[in-house]
Amino acid sequence: WCFFLAGGGGGGGAVAVRCQDGPPLDKNPLDLSEDNVIQAIEEAKQTLGTIFGNSAENQAIGITGDCTLVDLDGPFVTVRLQGRFWHKRADVLARVENYLMMRLPEIIEVSIEDPKQLDDELPENQQK
């Protein structure tokens, strides 16, 4: 789903559109390259905010989650999830995948480096 944010009064303000878990629609799609995938992952971490450990507040309470690029093989992206997340790891992967596929339309699939990285109960996935 999408929502609209109207700016300014008098009918002359800008309107920003954002789809859930996706980039603002005023951003142009990126061409598929390793640098652009890395850029989009960093944007996703900012846009999706609290599910990651990218703020001092989150880190202070033990949320240290991070997502990094492992491999780009044509339109197939492989990522790594590390640390602790607010949400289930499978949900984090799905939200990152959605963001990346909207930002880089050439991507066909985003997969995880190791299926064990999706197990919320493994001790290594709970490390701060």
Side-chain angles (χ1 to χ4, degrees):
W1 56 268
C2 298
F3 61 91
F4 300 86
L5 302 170
V15 175
V17 180
R18 179 191 289 298
C19 292
Q20 180 180 5
D21 296 343
L25 295 180
D26 61 349
K27 286 194 175 211
N28 291 326
L30 297 171
D31 292 328
L32 187 57
S33 71
E34 187 171 319
D35 288 341
N36 285 345
V37 172
I38 292 168
Q39 174 186 331
I41 289 172
E42 292 305 312
E43 290 174 6
K45 290 191 270 191
Q46 294 304 312
T47 300
L48 302 176
T50 60
I51 66 172
F52 293 100
N54 57 359
S55 73
E57 181 182 25
N58 286 357
Q59 292 173 2
I61 59 173
I63 303 303
T64 59
D66 195 17
C67 178
T68 56
L69 176 65
V70 174
D71 187 40
L72 175 61
D73 184 11
F76 301 96
V77 175
T78 304
V79 297
R80 175 181 299 132
L81 296 180
Q82 296 174 283
R84 294 177 64 202
F85 295 91
W86 274 114
H87 300 278
K88 291 182 180 181
R89 290 167 160 272
D91 294 341
V92 172
L93 178 62
R95 292 174 77 179
V96 168
E97 177 181 36
N98 185 50
Y99 188 97
L100 293 179
M101 291 177 87
M102 289 180 70
R103 192 73 168 102
L104 298 112
E106 295 173 71
I107 291 176
I108 292 175
E109 179 180 282
V110 177
S111 61
I112 193 78
E113 174 186 39
D114 182 344
K116 290 180 182 177
Q117 292 173 11
L118 295 178
D119 188 339
D120 294 305
E121 304 302 319
L122 285 178
E124 60 263 36
N125 292 340
Q126 295 300 313
Q127 294 176 358
K128 294 181 181 181

